[in-house]
Amino acid sequence: MLDWEQIFATRSSRMRASEIRELLKLLDQPDIISFAGGIPDPALFPDVAFKEAYSDIFSSAQVGAALQYSVSEGYKPLREWIARDVAKIGIDCTPDNVFITSGSQQALDYLGKLFLSPNDTALVTWPTYLGALSAFNAYEPNYDQLSLNGNRTPEAYRDTAAKTGGAVKFAYLSADFSNPTGETIDLAARERLLALADELDIAILEDAAYQHLRYDGEAIPPIMALDIARRGGIENTRTIYSGSFSKTLAPGLRVGFVVAAMPVIRKLVLMKQAADLHSSTINQIAIEHVASRGFDAQVAKIRSVYSKRRDAMLVALDKYMPKNATWTRPEGGMFVWVTLPEGMDGAELLAKSIATEKVAFVPGRAFYADGSNANTLRMSFSCADEAMIDEGIKRLGRLISNAIRAAA
Ligand SMILES: Cc1ncc(COP(=O)(O)O)c(C=O)c1O
């Protein structure tokens, strides 16, 4: 056997399978109630609309172009649709400011590649989206905790970055219904972040994967919209906004996008030419076809289903969880974040939970860049119906109450 590790680039050493992924493989058992996957419910996919879209494409003169190579920026009518859609939430831009990616995950990879030299610092919330850490890790950065309550000075961030021999390059976050906590950042914190980014002269990567999934409460303008309002136009902004059709239409087509000032878009286009030339032509056409005919109705449908599941999970947590556990009350998205008493370990609990209660969730530690806070759990309500949610939380509440009692 070759010693591959000797030949691989150093950056590959940070690409590791997590022990959690191993545990989650057990989820294939049919009798498990799973709150683990952060994925859309396939029963809600607009499959009939996609069937019509592909059928229309194949029976029209467009079929040749749909099966052909296409431009790296993305399918123009789709970019026009996105520019109109984001304008509704204050992101005033032209279709040229929109760049199509193969899922918004690809945007995270490209942005990591574009900004991070080894040892540079990426500011991320504690916790943050695990997939963002995986994407950025390949570019060998350090992470520092992004504080949104204004209690760290720009110098504090700069000093920490300098100690590790790099510079702060960007702050990455989800402002609405984040993965993993489900929390939303308030308007004052968004404004504070823009001021901090100005002082540090860094980019803000706003991951808006869950933007359309608001169930209640008042919508808050995206950071990108606030940046455009402050700067008088997108070309002067430092925010880079990424979005996705994965949570609203279907993730299998792999269509996401970036909205940003032209210098950023031009670099992303060059990166795409080098990496995969362009995202799937036919899938971009199909997404545009379905979005332009029924996006709002599809979003209304999934919001109505997910909001009931969110409610069911919050009611069940109130009913079954021990007093010393706390959790978030998300206004949208797919996740509730549970914090258990100090000293408890989510990974140990998951192993027990799968074996004895047949309930799965994701232990929270993986979402922390420093691997801290083992006493946290991510619970997704998107794929279980209300009765399953009640039963699953009942079992989990019992397990956690017993574990707390045993530790006392
Ligand atoms: C916060 C966040 N960003 C990005 C993604 C990537 O999604 P996609 O590549 O399907 O657009 C996900 C997927 O779960 C996510 O939760």
Side-chain angles (χ1 to χ4, degrees):
M1 273 273 275
L2 228 69
D3 184 0
W4 288 106
E5 297 297 330
Q6 290 296 315
I7 315 174
F8 289 154
T10 48
R11 74 179 78 91
S12 77
S13 66
R14 286 172 71 166
M15 302 171 188
R16 264 181 258 119
S18 70
E19 80 259 30
I20 294 161
R21 217 158 275 158
E22 295 305 306
L23 275 172
L24 295 180
K25 276 190 197 149
L26 303 171
L27 296 189
D28 286 343
Q29 299 169 25
D31 53 345
I32 294 256
I33 298 179
S34 178
F35 303 127
I39 56 175
D41 185 341
L44 299 172
F45 290 152
D47 49 355
V48 174
F50 276 118
K51 190 172 172 197
E52 262 171 39
Y54 284 101
S55 164
D56 280 5
I57 295 165
F58 278 101
S59 52
S60 76
Q62 204 182 10
V63 65
L67 295 174
Q68 187 55 283
Y69 286 115
S70 58
V71 294
S72 301
E73 291 83 339
Y75 179 54
K76 186 81 187 276
L78 178 60
R79 292 161 61 221
E80 289 166 347
W81 186 91
I82 292 166
R84 283 195 301 275
D85 191 56
V86 297
K88 293 178 198 156
I89 49 172
I91 300 177
D92 212 352
C93 67
T94 72
D96 287 341
N97 295 109
V98 181
F99 167 73
I100 305 294
T101 54
S102 298
S104 59
Q105 187 66 30
Q106 185 176 56
L108 298 177
D109 175 41
Y110 283 9
L111 293 167
K113 194 187 267 187
L114 185 55
F115 286 99
L116 298 170
S117 300
N119 289 325
D120 276 343
T121 291
L123 306 182
V124 295
T125 50
W126 247 233
T128 189
Y129 170 49
L130 173 58
L133 295 177
S134 309
F136 302 151
N137 276 347
Y139 305 104
E140 305 176 84
N142 297 306
Y143 296 105
D144 196 2
Q145 181 173 4
L146 174 64
S147 160
L148 293 165
N149 55 19
N151 64 4
R152 285 189 76 192
T153 61
E155 290 68 41
Y157 291 109
R158 261 194 224 108
D159 289 351
T160 311
K163 274 189 206 123
T164 49
V168 186
K169 288 301 184 67
F170 61 70
Y172 163 81
L173 81 167
S174 279
D176 290 307
F177 334 122
S178 84
N179 179 1
T181 70
E183 286 173 318
T184 294
I185 311 235
D186 67 26
L187 182 62
R190 295 178 195 215
E191 296 281 10
R192 269 198 304 273
L193 177 61
L194 279 163
L196 174 73
D198 276 351
E199 296 221 38
L200 289 173
D201 197 15
I202 57 171
I204 297 173
L205 311 192
E206 180 175 22
D207 182 337
Y210 299 91
Q211 182 86 58
H212 286 95
L213 300 190
R214 176 174 280 284
Y215 312 135
D216 40 44
E218 279 290 304
I220 305 170
I223 297 165
M224 181 57 143
L226 298 172
D227 201 358
I228 291 172
R230 283 158 81 114
R231 300 272 166 190
I234 191 165
E235 291 312 323
N236 300 322
T237 57
R238 58 173 70 254
T239 307
I240 301 171
Y241 178 95
S242 64
S244 178
F245 290 96
S246 292
K247 316 297 176 185
T248 48
L249 299 185
L253 283 77
R254 309 306 302 131
V255 179
F257 59 91
V258 168
V259 180
M262 284 315 294
V264 176
I265 298 290
R266 280 193 287 269
K267 277 285 189 199
L268 291 172
V269 169
L270 294 175
M271 293 172 81
K272 200 157 178 63
Q273 279 166 5
D276 64 347
L277 302 180
H278 60 81
S279 297
S280 157
T281 317
I282 193 165
N283 289 353
Q284 292 184 67
I285 297 175
I287 289 277
E288 193 277 333
H289 190 290
V290 171
S292 61
R293 284 162 181 76
F295 189 77
D296 290 348
Q298 167 68 10
V299 167
K301 176 173 138 183
I302 61 175
R303 275 184 180 157
S304 139
V305 174
Y306 292 152
S307 67
K308 290 194 191 85
R309 293 178 182 173
R310 187 268 324 254
D311 292 345
M313 185 166 273
L314 292 177
V315 166
L317 286 164
D318 282 337
K319 210 154 73 175
Y320 301 119
M321 277 288 156
K323 292 269 169 303
N324 36 7
T326 57
W327 53 89
T328 55
R329 304 194 84 85
E331 293 184 337
M334 295 184 172
F335 308 104
V336 174
W337 181 250
V338 177
T339 304
L340 302 177
E342 287 284 336
M344 294 195 70
D345 185 307
E348 277 172 26
L349 201 69
L350 175 63
K352 269 193 214 134
S353 179
I354 291 176
T356 65
E357 303 292 347
K358 304 262 180 223
V359 176
F361 51 84
V362 182
R365 189 171 45 196
F367 300 94
Y368 288 88
D370 66 348
S372 62
N373 292 277
N375 59 324
T376 52
L377 321 175
R378 190 192 74 176
M379 315 273 290
S380 168
F381 49 79
S382 57
C383 283
D385 64 28
E386 282 105 297
M388 279 163 72
I389 289 173
D390 185 78
E391 178 60 29
I393 300 290
K394 184 171 157 182
R395 294 185 203 170
L396 199 60
R398 182 168 64 204
L399 181 78
I400 292 173
S401 300
N402 287 340
I404 292 176
R405 234 174 279 128

